[in-house]
Amino acid sequence: FEELLEELHLKRVIGNEELIAMGIGLGANIASYANFYKNKELKFSKIILISPYNRYKCDYRISREIGKFNIPTHIFYGQFDKINDVKVRYALYSNAKNNPNVHFSCYPATGYFLYYSSKMSLEHDELFNGSGVSVLVGESRKDTPTFLPEVPEYNEPFFKHLFNTIEGIENPKRIALLTDTPPVFINGVETVVELLQKQLNKMGYEAYVVALWHKQYDLDVLPNDHFVPIFGKYARYVKGYKELALLKSTNYQRDAHELAMFGFSYLHLHTEYSMSQVALELSKITNIRMPYTFHTIWKMYYEHKFGKLAGEVTYKAAKDLFFDEIYKACPTIIVPSMKSYQVLMSDSSKKKDVRIIPSPVNPNNFTLTKSDRLEINKLRVKYKLMGKKVLGYVGRVSTEKNIMETIKYISEVVSEIPNLIFMVVGVGDATKQLIKYAKKLKVNEHIIYVGQVPNEQVKYYYQLFDVFVTASNFETQGITYFEAASSGTLILAKKDKAIEGVFEDGETAYVYDGFESWLERLEKALFSDNKAITDTAKNMMKQYSPEKWAKKMLSIYTELNPDKK
């Protein structure tokens, strides 16, 4: 290191000014010696190590010494840096986590700043003109197993973070929203988590969705550069419901240490299964206290899935293995409704801090542009809906959603309303069962199975419906009800505690409790003027503001972790 400084003539040129030592790859090994450099004339204010490169064993040395670093040290890694041995990175974080001078900043799929050639990029030089730092770019290495794309792209979040660190500008605090469901599937949990991420980012934070991922999906379908995929394997016994990908238990500790290197300030758990095990380990090793949001009534889910007796047994096993551990470890539990509060308290009466915070809906997601209306008209033509009375369902297609009841009721009225159509938007393990049931009742020609649609197109389908219908008693809150109301679509819903005090019969929706009341309200929904009901429901959605909701979540994070403010 002494010889390198002499070669660069730093002593002669700079004298006693403070310097930053920055090393990329193998150069990180050299830069790390700045911590032990004792020359009084030449001082280093900080050290920046970008992807310490273990092919030459340098980060083995760094990991041994990192606990002794007394100069502010910033280590940048990329999540898919498969060159670096997992054990080394584990040791690096473990040895540094109690050293306040060491800060980690890992990056997800866009973290392919890691592999550079020696050429300089004029484009990046111009972009950062005046920064005094040149940006190296190049191709990913081809001789190592990696998830990185062959053609590197400009990674703006990384370079912003890097230059802020160089210039002493404070970077935004990072928040991890941990869930099992990847964004390639549409369901209520994924919708809520994505909305929370967007709102926290608007507030100036860096919110990352951390979710399971499977290698069959290309990384270029990731929704944004703030999504952190954790690779898992499908549980074969979860037939037809592949979004419940499960990690091997041997991965939990490794993945938690990988996530710890992102430098999160706050954590928020949104699941009970595989990612919960990662999250609990992450909370433990980072000393970050984590709230948990109770999204799903699993007892009801299992009873629908396996029958009452087998469902109770399965639920008890899941509760013993997963749920009780979460209830114990998370100091605050968030529920979206009084119904979910009552269910949770019946399971865990000893829980001290359970807060009812209804999930919001973003009305901006359901405003229509001229191009949106053109797309809606195309869909109306595609599905031959002109002159039809259209009932619609959006959500997971599974037995607990009770879609068969709606199909049965439709079979009772199609002779009187022959132009009635039922559109089912979503995927799930009950689709084949519904098709078979509809054929049995001879109404299959009245049902359209749309399947999965992109999130940004869901609003088109609400506009195709004359009435949004649901027979579910499974909801903890019912995000799709809120989406339908925000779209100005009339709601016909089965009576349920989850919507009591929100969607009232004849005021903001039509609510039924059996076939006769369903039929009566269906006739009103299809053949009466219901504008007053839909307008009232749409205006009511304003009180479920995403901004206020995200601020409540953030206040819980800071309350639980006052040292992170």
Side-chain angles (χ1 to χ4, degrees):
F1 190 69
E2 177 81 28
E3 291 174 358
L4 176 63
L5 295 179
E6 292 289 358
E7 183 180 337
L8 296 173
H9 306 293
L10 288 178
K11 288 184 181 180
R12 178 173 60 81
V13 175
I14 300 179
N16 61 359
E17 294 184 19
E18 288 192 339
L19 296 175
I20 295 174
M22 182 167 72
I24 299 174
L26 181 58
N29 185 40
I30 300 171
S32 70
Y33 279 96
N35 185 75
F36 306 102
Y37 186 62
K38 303 298 183 183
N39 189 291
K40 295 181 179 179
E41 295 180 4
L42 203 60
K43 297 179 180 179
F44 288 87
S45 61
K46 67 183 67 170
I47 301 171
I48 297 174
L49 309 179
I50 302 175
S51 186
Y53 190 10
N54 93 338
R55 174 162 294 188
Y56 298 99
K57 310 299 182 186
C58 63
D59 54 357
Y60 280 106
R61 187 197 66 77
I62 295 172
S63 69
R64 287 197 306 268
E65 304 291 344
I66 197 73
K68 302 174 186 176
F69 277 37
N70 52 28
I71 298 175
T73 302
H74 301 265
I75 300 177
F76 290 86
Y77 262 115
Q79 189 188 10
F80 299 139
D81 180 6
K82 298 301 177 184
I83 289 178
N84 294 87
D85 191 285
V86 171
K87 292 180 180 178
V88 176
R89 300 179 72 171
Y90 183 97
L92 188 64
Y93 180 80
S94 297
N95 294 336
K97 67 179 182 179
N98 294 321
N99 186 342
N101 292 311
V102 181
H103 311 276
F104 291 96
S105 299
C106 193
Y107 277 82
T110 53
Y112 39 90
F113 55 83
L114 299 169
Y115 309 121
Y116 298 103
S117 69
S118 59
K119 67 179 182 178
M120 304 299 291
S121 167
L122 293 176
E123 177 186 346
H124 293 131
D125 259 0
E126 291 174 4
L127 186 63
F128 291 103
N129 187 29
S131 68
V133 179
S134 296
V135 180
L136 294 174
V137 297
E139 295 181 351
S140 301
R141 299 186 65 94
K142 301 298 190 296
D143 57 344
T144 55
T146 176
F147 294 108
L148 305 180
E150 292 189 1
V151 180
E153 298 177 17
Y154 169 54
N155 183 359
E156 185 175 3
F158 161 67
F159 284 114
K160 280 186 176 179
H161 197 151
L162 176 61
F163 284 114
N164 284 348
T165 302
I166 291 170
E167 295 171 5
I169 300 172
E170 185 177 357
N171 282 292
K173 284 185 171 59
R174 290 182 157 194
I175 303 171
L177 309 174
L178 300 112
T179 180
D180 278 332
T181 310
V184 293
F185 297 97
I186 298 174
N187 64 26
V189 177
E190 190 276 329
T191 299
V192 168
V193 170
E194 183 181 1
L195 180 56
L196 179 55
Q197 178 196 32
K198 288 179 179 178
Q199 291 302 318
L200 291 170
N201 287 340
K202 283 183 182 178
M203 293 163 64
Y205 293 83
E206 280 189 20
Y208 288 83
V209 174
V210 183
L212 293 171
W213 196 257
H214 193 272
K215 61 184 178 182
Q216 79 175 55
Y217 299 112
D218 292 332
L219 293 174
D220 59 8
V221 303
L222 288 172
N224 54 57
D225 55 17
H226 282 64
F227 179 88
V228 181
I230 298 296
F231 285 86
K233 291 187 176 181
Y234 284 141
R236 297 298 177 191
Y237 54 83
V238 188
K239 186 178 180 182
Y241 199 50
K242 285 188 173 181
E243 51 264 57
L244 291 178
L246 300 182
L247 297 172
K248 290 183 177 179
S249 59
T250 53
N251 287 347
Y252 296 150
Q253 196 171 46
R254 183 201 70 189
D255 290 327
H257 274 75
E258 181 94 5
L259 291 171
M261 300 185 87
F262 275 77
F264 293 119
S265 295
Y266 306 121
L267 309 174
H268 187 166
L269 180 60
H270 291 267
T271 182
E272 296 80 8
Y273 286 96
S274 297
M275 281 303 299
S276 74
Q277 301 304 297
V278 177
L280 292 174
E281 181 70 17
L282 178 61
S283 174
K284 180 180 176 181
I285 63 178
T286 58
N287 296 315
I288 299 173
R289 301 181 79 213
M290 172 178 67
Y292 150 68
T293 293
F294 178 76
H295 288 285
T296 306
I297 302 175
W298 287 107
K299 184 176 182 180
M300 187 181 293
Y301 171 84
Y302 285 126
E303 288 179 358
H304 274 282
K305 198 82 172 174
F306 305 117
K308 185 169 180 61
L309 182 60
E312 287 180 357
V313 172
T314 306
Y315 173 72
K316 186 179 185 309
K319 185 173 180 294
D320 291 344
L321 283 171
F322 298 106
F323 306 163
D324 285 344
E325 185 180 6
I326 295 167
Y327 300 158
K328 181 179 178 181
C330 296
T332 297
I333 296 180
I334 300 161
V335 295
S337 67
M338 178 56 72
K339 174 184 176 179
S340 51
Y341 174 84
Q342 291 170 344
V343 170
L344 179 67
M345 294 305 286
S346 68
D347 260 359
S348 181
S349 59
K350 295 179 181 179
K351 204 63 212 170
K352 294 181 180 178
D353 186 17
V354 180
R355 307 189 192 185
I356 302 174
I357 305 177
S359 299
V361 63
N362 189 349
N364 295 330
N365 291 345
F366 301 93
T367 56
L368 300 175
T369 64
K370 187 176 180 180
S371 62
D372 288 333
R373 297 185 189 282
L374 290 173
E375 293 300 321
I376 292 165
N377 287 332
K378 288 179 184 178
L379 289 172
R380 190 170 280 113
V381 171
K382 174 183 176 181
Y383 292 112
K384 301 177 182 179
L385 299 179
M386 289 75 71
K388 305 292 186 181
K389 295 291 185 181
V390 183
L391 310 183
Y393 167 85
V394 176
R396 192 169 70 248
V397 182
S398 52
T399 55
E400 72 275 7
K401 297 295 186 176
N402 202 23
I403 303 170
M404 289 179 71
E405 178 177 285
T406 301
I407 293 176
K408 183 178 185 300
Y409 287 178
I410 288 172
S411 72
E412 300 285 339
V413 300
V414 288
S415 59
E416 299 294 328
I417 315 174
N419 62 340
L420 192 65
I421 294 293
F422 180 35
M423 296 188 79
V424 179
V425 181
V427 294
D429 57 346
T431 303
K432 290 182 180 179
Q433 185 180 0
L434 294 184
I435 293 172
K436 184 178 180 180
Y437 185 65
K439 285 182 178 179
K440 178 182 177 181
L441 297 180
K442 298 180 180 179
V443 291
N444 52 305
E445 71 275 10
H446 291 271
I447 302 177
I448 299 171
Y449 301 94
V450 176
Q452 185 88 359
V453 299
N455 272 341
E456 64 273 11
Q457 294 180 18
V458 171
K459 63 182 177 181
Y460 299 164
Y461 290 86
Y462 284 114
Q463 296 301 322
L464 294 176
F465 306 158
D466 292 295
V467 186
F468 169 76
V469 295
T470 175
S472 176
N473 282 138
F474 181 68
E475 311 305 320
T476 52
Q477 178 184 350
I479 289 298
T480 52
Y481 301 68
F482 285 57
E483 292 178 347
S486 297
S487 301
T489 302
L490 187 64
I491 297 168
L492 175 58
K494 191 166 187 175
K495 186 177 181 179
D496 186 46
K497 284 185 176 295
I499 61 173
E500 282 183 6
V502 181
F503 293 103
E504 298 291 347
D505 186 42
E507 296 179 11
T508 50
Y510 285 121
V511 180
Y512 73 94
D513 58 6
F515 174 69
E516 294 300 326
S517 60
W518 181 86
L519 178 59
E520 178 187 346
R521 284 154 181 77
L522 178 69
E523 290 176 347
K524 290 181 181 179
L526 293 179
F527 303 111
S528 301
D529 181 1
N530 296 289
K531 190 174 185 304
I533 294 177
T534 55
D535 284 350
T536 303
K538 191 170 186 177
N539 288 331
M540 181 179 64
M541 291 299 101
K542 294 176 182 177
Q543 66 183 279
Y544 297 96
S545 159
E547 293 82 7
K548 292 179 182 178
W549 170 70
K551 287 178 180 178
K552 288 179 181 178
M553 296 301 173
L554 186 61
S555 69
I556 292 174
Y557 307 158
T558 55
E559 177 186 333
L560 294 178
N561 301 280
D563 58 316
K564 304 287 185 180
K565 288 184 180 179

